[in-house]
Amino acid sequence: MDFAPSEFKPEQIEEAGRLFHKKCDFMLGVAKLEQLPDADLPEVAFSGRSNVGKSSIINALFYQKKLAKTSNTPGRTQQLNYFKLDDRLYLVDLPGYGFAKAPESMVKNWQRLIMAYLQGRVNLKRVFLLIDSRHGIKKVDSDIMEMLDKAAVTYQIVLTKIDKISEKELDSVLKKTADDVKKHAAAYPKILATSSEKNLGLEDLRAEINSLVF
Ligand code: GTP
Ligand code: MG
């Protein structure tokens, strides 16, 4: 599938590839704001609805090393899972939102934690907001986007699971998403289209992340 030419130079793609071959370890799971590690490194977070593919994309970025737990059951990730890459960057796998099956009190607790984290984390360089390419941006996603606009946290839309749709469908969801993104002050204009399963669009995502590391 050849949808959008990369805006990165080959050497930038290569440098980013090297970064993701460096040592990356699970650091800790955060269930309460007080447990957040010191904001001593730049940080990126992966957010999105339950089951959209957040944990899968983190694994795929690291060339399939099984760092993050993935699951068919929505709501698998229940804490903010911190990974430290090469002592240079934190990557955070967030619990998904919009998941109705867990007990309501539990969902409320996660939502509160995620919101407080997203609004208050000073070293958070960018949020990658994952959207299932089959569904596009839903109301729950727009709500998060509005909240991030208000908090002035930069976020970038990453379409996931593009192996499940045709090129024509991808074209259409990209156009629609681009129109939507224009209405949001804190949204990064470039949209990434990815498949963790088929390794599509990951080089550009690595390059985006690499550009945020000092
Ligand atoms: P929560 O932690 O519950 O919020 O989910 P998550 O967003 O971390 O999703 P996860 O990575 O666990 O993936 C959910 C399901 O989608 C799993 O069954 C994955 O195998 C599947 N999946 C993830 N990425 C892709 C992809 O690129 N293509 C296809 N076909 N399936 C994918
Ligand atoms: Mg997960």
Side-chain angles (χ1 to χ4, degrees), residues 51 53-56 71-72 75-77 96 161 163-164 196-197:
N51 218 40
K54 298 175 291 296
S55 301
S56 299
S71 168
N72 272 320
R76 156 56 68 193
T77 309
K161 310 191 188 184
D163 56 288
K164 297 256 201 185
S196 304
E197 191 127 324

Side-chain angles (χ1 to χ4, degrees), residues 114-122 124 147-148 150-151 153:
I114 300 167
M115 294 303 152
Y117 163 78
L118 289 173
Q119 289 170 331
R121 187 73 171 157
V122 292
L124 184 57
M147 185 275 289
L148 292 170
K150 281 195 193 118
V153 176

Side-chain angles (χ1 to χ4, degrees), residues 107-125:
V107 174
K108 284 221 176 96
N109 271 340
W110 298 347
Q111 306 299 353
R112 248 200 311 266
L113 176 65
I114 300 167
M115 294 303 152
Y117 163 78
L118 289 173
Q119 289 170 331
R121 187 73 171 157
V122 292
N123 57 333
L124 184 57
K125 295 289 172 202

Side-chain angles (χ1 to χ4, degrees), residues 160-171:
T160 63
K161 310 191 188 184
I162 63 164
D163 56 288
K164 297 256 201 185
I165 60 170
S166 68
E167 260 180 81
K168 212 173 139 205
E169 286 166 324
L170 177 59
D171 217 42

Side-chain angles (χ1 to χ4, degrees), residues 1-63:
M1 220 179 293
D2 187 23
F3 38 91
S6 175
E7 283 163 28
F8 290 101
K9 298 190 189 109
E11 52 272 29
Q12 290 174 305
I13 297 282
E14 254 175 58
E15 188 189 290
R18 279 197 297 277
L19 176 67
F20 281 86
H21 274 109
K22 294 268 163 67
K23 192 166 131 57
C24 184
D25 289 311
F26 174 73
M27 213 173 100
L28 85 160
V30 170
K32 292 183 190 147
L33 278 184
E34 305 85 79
Q35 299 167 338
L36 283 171
D38 288 345
D40 54 355
L41 290 177
E43 184 163 315
V44 295
F46 294 80
S47 188
R49 300 173 78 198
S50 282
N51 218 40
V52 70
K54 298 175 291 296
S55 301
S56 299
I57 214 165
I58 291 178
N59 287 332
L61 283 172
F62 290 97
Y63 306 97

